[in-house]
Amino acid sequence: MSHVFDEAISVRRTDDVFHATTHPAYSNMVGPFGGITAATVVHALQQHPDTLGEPLAVTINYTAPIADGDWDLFTSAVRTNRTNQHWVFRIEQHGDIVSTGTAVFGLHRPTWSNTEAQPPTAPPVEEIEPLEFPEFIAWARNYDKRFVTGGLDAGASDDSTSTLWIRDAPERPLDYPALMSITDSFYPRVFLRHGTYMPAGTISLTTYFHATPGELSEHGTAHLLATASAARFAGGHYDQHGRVWSVPGEGEPVLLASTHQLVYFKNPQPQE
């Protein structure tokens, strides 16, 4: 039996065009969950016969909402070097461009390594109860979310930081598409600051993959420790920075991905 995530990111290829279809399990308030769209792009590029190595960085710009139904991904490798490869892509639906982006793939080489970032402090995942999102946020039901701080039920906060344990539900071995999707799983930071829902959506999402294939395999199906916060809200936009860690029972935490977003928002409607 296939996992719903794999159903949602499935593609069919014709030359350099991949054909995909939205999945109701990953619908959002407007169109599909952006993370599943980005994950489908990663999955498609991994299937391309000319792809070199593994994903290192992906940027996707959501120029318009994707409607329910079929959409097409156009890809082009603009340069391939010895250890890295640069792609440009666009998503079209009914003749309109709904997303654009770039991707960098590459080979992992044995070099000196060091991680300066530090993981957030968190109790064991077993000590935290899962938090369900409202029914109208369908995509969130596909994740087991256990908030350490900054949950959707936290009310208004002066701090936009959310930290949580998260994994696919039902559980699924971690791979690059799944990691891509999880980097977009943080609900809008402006919700946390105001303690209420308000119009908001991602304009641009960039994810940097630090994980090697071996590290993904070693992580397996365990929960990830993820954290995100914003730096400034102004002029109807804000940024968001996030990090996703693998935290083995024994051994040091491993930073698997970091991510940045640009998000638009509108002020909440006054209560009558």
Side-chain angles (χ1 to χ4, degrees):
M1 183 176 179
S2 63
H3 194 283
V4 65
F5 182 83
D6 296 295
E7 295 173 1
I9 66 171
S10 64
V11 292
R12 307 171 303 282
R13 178 174 169 263
T14 305
D15 297 324
D16 288 333
V17 181
F18 293 88
H19 312 284
T21 304
T22 60
H23 196 293
Y26 287 88
S27 64
N28 204 356
M29 291 180 284
V30 178
F33 168 48
I36 203 67
T37 302
T40 305
V41 171
V42 172
H43 175 62
L45 288 174
Q46 286 186 298
Q47 308 312 305
H48 199 289
D50 295 337
T51 295
L52 174 72
E54 307 296 343
L56 301 179
V58 173
T59 294
I60 181 168
N61 307 304
Y62 301 99
T63 62
I66 296 177
D68 291 339
D70 297 337
W71 53 269
D72 298 319
L73 171 68
F74 295 80
T75 64
S76 176
V78 296
R79 184 176 178 86
T80 300
N81 302 313
R82 287 193 301 172
T83 60
N84 58 74
Q85 182 180 59
H86 301 260
W87 293 82
V88 295
F89 64 84
R90 71 184 187 277
I91 296 174
E92 293 189 7
Q93 189 177 51
H94 310 310
D96 295 326
I97 296 176
V98 294
S99 293
T100 64
T102 61
V104 180
F105 276 62
L107 303 176
H108 292 272
R109 297 174 293 118
T111 64
W112 174 85
S113 63
N114 179 257
T115 302
E116 292 191 4
Q118 295 296 315
T121 301
V125 62
E126 297 81 9
E127 296 181 8
I128 306 174
E129 291 296 321
L131 177 65
E132 297 299 328
F133 282 19
E135 285 294 317
F136 62 83
I137 307 178
W139 66 265
R141 294 195 291 273
N142 297 290
Y143 292 101
D144 181 343
K145 306 167 297 300
R146 305 182 184 225
F147 282 85
V148 177
T149 186
L152 195 55
D153 58 349
S157 172
D158 291 334
D159 184 351
S160 65
T161 303
S162 287
T163 298
L164 71 155
W165 292 102
I166 185 171
R167 72 175 173 188
D168 288 286
E171 62 187 66
R172 175 186 179 278
L174 187 65
D175 56 15
Y176 287 107
L179 183 58
M180 178 81 240
S181 185
I182 283 174
T183 64
D184 191 38
S185 65
F186 305 101
Y187 70 87
R189 304 295 83 208
V190 73
F191 289 10
L192 180 57
R193 289 299 308 271
H194 285 261
T196 187
Y197 299 104
M198 49 201 300
T202 302
I203 297 175
S204 183
L205 165 67
T206 296
T207 292
Y208 301 104
F209 298 94
H210 310 298
T212 66
E215 288 168 342
L216 294 180
S217 178
E218 289 176 7
H219 179 82
T221 63
H223 284 80
L224 296 156
L225 184 59
T227 188
S229 61
R232 186 184 179 193
F233 303 82
H237 302 90
Y238 69 89
D239 67 311
Q240 175 181 293
H241 174 256
R243 289 172 174 156
V244 180
W245 299 80
S246 175
V247 185
E250 300 290 339
E252 295 296 322
V254 178
L255 181 62
L256 299 182
S258 55
T259 182
H260 289 81
Q261 288 193 21
L262 174 67
V263 184
Y264 86 90
F265 72 94
K266 296 180 182 179
N267 290 328
Q269 296 297 319
Q271 299 291 325
E272 295 185 359

